[in-house]
Amino acid sequence: MVTVAPQVERVQRKVVRVLTGTQIMGSAAMTIGLAISTLIAASLSGSDAVGGLAQTAAVAGAALLALPGARLAQRRGRRPALTLGYGMGAIGALVAAVAVALGWWPMLLVGLLLFGGASSANLAARYAATDLAHPQRRARELSRVVWAAMIGAIVGPNLADPAGRVTAAIGLPVGVGPFVLSALVLGIAVLGIQLGLRPDPLVVVRSTRPVQPAHCSGGGAPGGVRIWGSLGPMARLALVGVMLCHTAMVGLMSMTPVHMNHAGSSLRVVGIVISLHVAAMYAASPLFGWLADRLGRVPVLAVGASLVVAAAAIAGMAPSHDAPQLAAGLVVLGFGWSAGLVSGSALLTESVSVDERPAAQGLSDLMMNVGGAVGGAVAGVVVTAWSYAALGLIVGFTALPLLVVCLFASLRRTAR
């Protein structure tokens, strides 16, 4: 064991470099495709409702692949699981490109469902960064991979238009180009995982640490229910914390452009507000990773919950014409999401055994995606039936119990 440690450190540095690169690729590919998916689906079908289903299909695809990907990681390691996710995403992008060329929107939705696999792989990649990480640096290693997604999220949407012009120049519909480019980028990500993620970090950690019996795999009850029942209180707190922060973020963020549109805000102003929000989500992740390693996972999870509550208050009380206040609220919301995701993911990883990690982490990603889909749908109903201010109030009160539980858990740990 003594002679293995330096090798493990070298492998970990390589793993993080590979995951950082593929995270950029995966994030760029997703944003290239999703930047135009809603408009294309609406155009092909002639229905705004079908346009809304485009984003839902991608989220549903990520959710559907979360547990199968986790089972594959549990059996064979991270490399096959990440390859599956990025590979399914590439196939989905090609199916979507063919659907646009044929003008068939049902096929486009099928392609977007498969395309969501790339999002599932991007989420799972953050956990792969923790397999060989030193416990005192686990959150920081995870946060580096999360941070890398910011680069892809910024670059991706700006590549959609040039890609569309290329396909238009050869006589194909403009919408074909972005999906073809997404498929190519995801293909590069697959090659990066296959060639770079050797040795597999999860295989290495199992060979260098005592293996404990897993309790969350196998048949019988539905996968998610069975996994949840095997987890301890800290693991469950981590799962709920990550899901709530993500659900709150999606709900409030998705309806902010609608709220601003009521005051006649230009697309440029709306775009700036959303861009600031996205930048806050990823840019601050290394800071929260450092804090989670220094102060503890649960205190930083409490910080995430408190930031979500504060964001709901700031944005919820903002008039539809007050872009600066809405921007401030969404920046704070992005910080809250980042703190919750980084600290919650690190807490979940260290709260289960090595053999249980993939299944528990897959459940986390499943709950995130389902929570995001539900949050976006419920937010639309709340704003339509009541108001954006009511949405802010609901989001704030939803996050309050998480804050209280985290504070009590932190005080209990301190008292020991």
Side-chain angles (χ1 to χ4, degrees), residues 53 81 109 218 311:
L53 287 177
L109 294 183

Side-chain angles (χ1 to χ4, degrees), residues 2 18 35 47-48 61 77-78 104 142 174 176 180 193 200 208 226 288 313 330 342 378 384:
V2 176
V18 171
S47 168
D48 289 341
R78 299 290 187 187
W104 192 21
L142 183 151
V174 173
V176 172
V180 171
I193 291 296
D200 190 296
T208 57
R226 189 178 184 86
F288 291 118
L330 260 65
V342 171
V378 171
T384 301

Side-chain angles (χ1 to χ4, degrees), residues 6-414:
Q7 297 176 8
V8 169
E9 291 180 5
R10 285 195 297 272
V11 172
Q12 171 63 6
R13 287 194 294 269
K14 179 184 177 184
V15 164
V16 173
R17 286 197 301 269
V18 171
L19 293 174
T20 298
T22 55
Q23 184 80 183
I24 294 172
M25 294 292 178
S27 177
M30 287 299 297
T31 53
I32 291 168
L34 293 181
I36 46 86
S37 61
T38 300
L39 295 176
I40 291 178
S43 175
L44 292 180
S45 65
S47 168
D48 289 341
V50 173
L53 287 177
Q55 297 278 347
T56 303
V59 173
L64 289 173
L65 198 61
L67 289 182
R71 293 191 189 101
L72 182 59
Q74 193 155 331
R75 290 196 306 268
R76 298 180 55 193
R78 299 290 187 187
R79 188 172 64 252
L82 293 177
T83 298
L84 172 67
Y86 288 129
M88 290 288 286
I91 293 171
L94 291 176
V95 171
V98 173
V100 174
L102 297 176
W104 192 21
W105 66 262
M107 185 179 181
L108 174 62
L109 294 183
V110 172
L112 290 170
L113 188 71
L114 298 173
F115 189 51
S119 178
S120 177
N122 260 14
L123 286 173
R126 76 188 192 277
Y127 286 121
T130 67
D131 288 331
L132 295 172
H134 190 282
Q136 294 180 354
R137 291 190 54 85
R138 188 171 284 144
R140 274 172 283 185
E141 298 290 303
L142 183 151
S143 69
R144 288 175 60 187
V145 176
V146 174
W147 178 88
M150 177 180 66
I151 300 175
I154 292 172
V155 173
N158 295 302
L159 297 177
D161 182 59
R165 287 202 300 267
V166 170
T167 52
I170 60 176
L172 292 173
V174 173
V176 172
F179 286 117
V180 171
L181 181 58
S182 292
L184 290 174
V185 174
L186 289 173
I188 296 172
V190 169
L191 284 176
I193 291 296
Q194 279 296 310
L195 300 177
L197 212 62
R198 293 177 182 273
D200 190 296
L202 190 56
V203 174
V204 172
V205 77
R206 285 173 173 167
S207 68
T208 57
R209 301 180 187 179
V211 178
Q212 301 176 16
H215 303 290
C216 54
S217 59
V225 174
R226 189 178 184 86
I227 297 166
W228 176 269
S230 73
L231 298 176
M234 285 296 101
R236 292 184 180 183
L237 174 61
L239 285 170
V240 173
V242 170
M243 182 194 70
L244 281 180
C245 289
H246 186 70
T247 302
M249 184 277 292
V250 172
L252 201 57
M253 178 272 292
S254 64
M255 296 311 298
T256 299
V258 176
H259 182 55
M260 297 179 70
N261 186 58
H262 292 162
S265 297
S266 67
L267 290 177
R268 178 173 174 271
V269 173
V270 172
I272 291 173
V273 170
I274 298 301
S275 295
L276 290 172
H277 165 69
V278 173
M281 286 172 60
Y282 298 113
S285 56
L287 171 62
F288 291 118
W290 179 80
L291 289 173
D293 283 335
R294 292 295 299 271
L295 304 179
R297 322 309 188 200
V298 178
V300 177
L301 187 56
V303 169
S306 64
L307 288 171
V308 169
V309 173
I314 296 169
M317 292 188 295
S320 58
H321 60 81
D322 195 343
Q325 184 172 339
L326 287 166
L330 260 65
V331 166
V332 175
L333 181 66
F335 289 155
W337 177 88
S338 183
L341 180 76
V342 171
S343 60
S345 299
L347 177 62
L348 176 63
T349 298
E350 66 188 19
S351 298
V352 295
S353 70
V354 170
D355 273 8
E356 289 176 320
R357 281 181 189 172
Q361 292 161 351
L363 178 59
S364 173
D365 291 344
L366 172 64
M367 291 173 64
M368 273 186 69
N369 283 296
V370 171
V374 171
V378 171
V381 172
V382 169
V383 171
T384 301
W386 293 293
S387 65
Y388 183 79
L391 175 63
L393 191 65
I394 291 172
V395 168
F397 274 103
T398 301
L400 269 178
L402 173 63
L403 174 59
V404 172
V405 170
C406 288
L407 289 176
F408 274 111
S410 298
L411 291 173
R412 192 179 302 116
R413 286 190 168 191
T414 304

